[in-house]
Amino acid sequence: MKIFCIGINKTATTSLLNSWKILGYDKICSPMRLDNVNVAMAAFEGKYKVIFDLIDNYDCFKDRPFNTNKLYKILDKHVPDSKFILTVRDTEEWWDSVNRWLTNRNGRSFDSETDKLLRIEIYKRHFETNEFTKESFVKYYEEYNNEVREYFKGNPNFLEMNICGGDSWELLCPFLGKEIPNKPFPMANVNK
């Protein structure tokens, strides 16, 4: 079974990744383990072979490129019986988190100004816009989430989680067929 987190970045996807580790999944594909820019660009350009080649080596997948627009439809057909998890959060909280991350107002430092600009360009490409504005990013975020919900409507292999809103083991474990661990649900990258 393959598990795809198709929630947009900054919707507690790292918390979900950490929950997978607690549940015993160890073959996890995430941007930290990939040359994220090249894989994301392959997805943006419809070069899905690059992504399909990754799938055989992992069980769980999160963030870009797996949450790029419409890729969930291709993955659903290419990898039948996979599980799909849409992570969401309050739209205003999501925008605030994305904006802090991209403008370096999160207490972390970028390698360089070039790295910061590259992150913004990747987000703009992902969100199919030429603008780095709240309006354009929020529009994409809300439309994407609604399209995913509509596509998977009634599908038992689909789960929507609002981890920031309190969803945790009680929702995730039955979906994955796992016992609820005797540990708190992990919360990563929480802003103070």
Side-chain angles (χ1 to χ4, degrees):
M1 172 179 61
K2 304 293 183 182
I3 306 164
F4 295 95
C5 172
I6 56 174
I8 297 294
N9 303 55
K10 301 300 175 194
T11 58
T13 59
T14 302
S15 296
L16 182 62
L17 177 145
N18 290 337
S19 76
W20 290 337
K21 291 177 182 177
I22 292 170
L23 293 174
Y25 296 102
D26 59 356
K27 293 182 177 179
I28 300 170
C29 183
S30 73
M32 294 174 171
R33 295 186 180 180
L34 296 174
D35 181 352
N36 187 32
V37 174
N38 291 336
V39 176
M41 290 305 189
F44 296 150
E45 295 166 4
K47 297 176 181 173
Y48 299 124
K49 184 177 182 326
V50 172
I51 294 159
F52 296 155
D53 289 346
L54 290 172
I55 291 173
D56 291 338
N57 299 316
Y58 300 94
D59 297 322
C60 302
F61 308 84
K62 82 163 193 98
D63 285 345
R64 207 174 290 112
F66 308 103
N67 61 5
T68 55
N69 198 17
K70 311 296 190 271
L71 184 57
Y72 59 88
K73 293 179 182 180
I74 293 163
L75 294 169
D76 186 34
K77 296 199 178 3
H78 184 77
V79 191
D81 298 320
S82 293
K83 301 271 187 177
F84 292 87
I85 301 171
L86 175 67
T87 51
V88 298
R89 72 189 293 184
D90 173 81
T91 300
E92 288 296 319
E93 290 176 9
W94 173 80
W95 163 250
D96 186 52
S97 182
V98 168
N99 190 35
R100 274 194 320 273
W101 170 246
L102 293 177
T103 58
N104 200 23
R105 292 186 297 117
N106 61 357
R108 297 180 184 160
S109 62
F110 291 99
D111 294 333
S112 67
E113 187 65 19
T114 302
D115 184 48
K116 176 181 168 181
L117 295 174
L118 177 61
R119 286 180 196 264
I120 291 171
E121 288 306 311
I122 290 171
Y123 267 78
K124 285 170 37 181
R125 180 85 187 260
H126 182 165
F127 295 169
E128 302 172 354
T129 182
N130 293 322
E131 303 173 353
F132 172 39
T133 64
K134 178 179 180 180
E135 180 180 87
S136 64
F137 277 38
V138 165
K139 180 179 184 286
Y140 180 90
Y141 175 72
E142 291 178 342
E143 287 177 358
Y144 173 84
N145 288 341
N146 288 331
E147 288 173 11
V148 169
R149 289 178 187 116
E150 186 61 31
Y151 177 82
F152 285 107
K153 191 174 188 177
N155 186 327
N157 288 333
F158 173 73
L159 175 68
E160 181 173 331
M161 290 188 76
N162 184 342
I163 294 168
C164 298
D167 290 344
S168 67
W169 297 127
E170 290 75 17
L171 196 59
L172 180 63
C173 289
F175 178 69
L176 297 178
K178 296 281 192 175
E179 294 291 321
I180 295 175
N182 191 19
K183 290 184 175 185
F185 195 87
M187 297 302 289
N189 301 331
V190 177
N191 289 306
K192 299 191 174 34

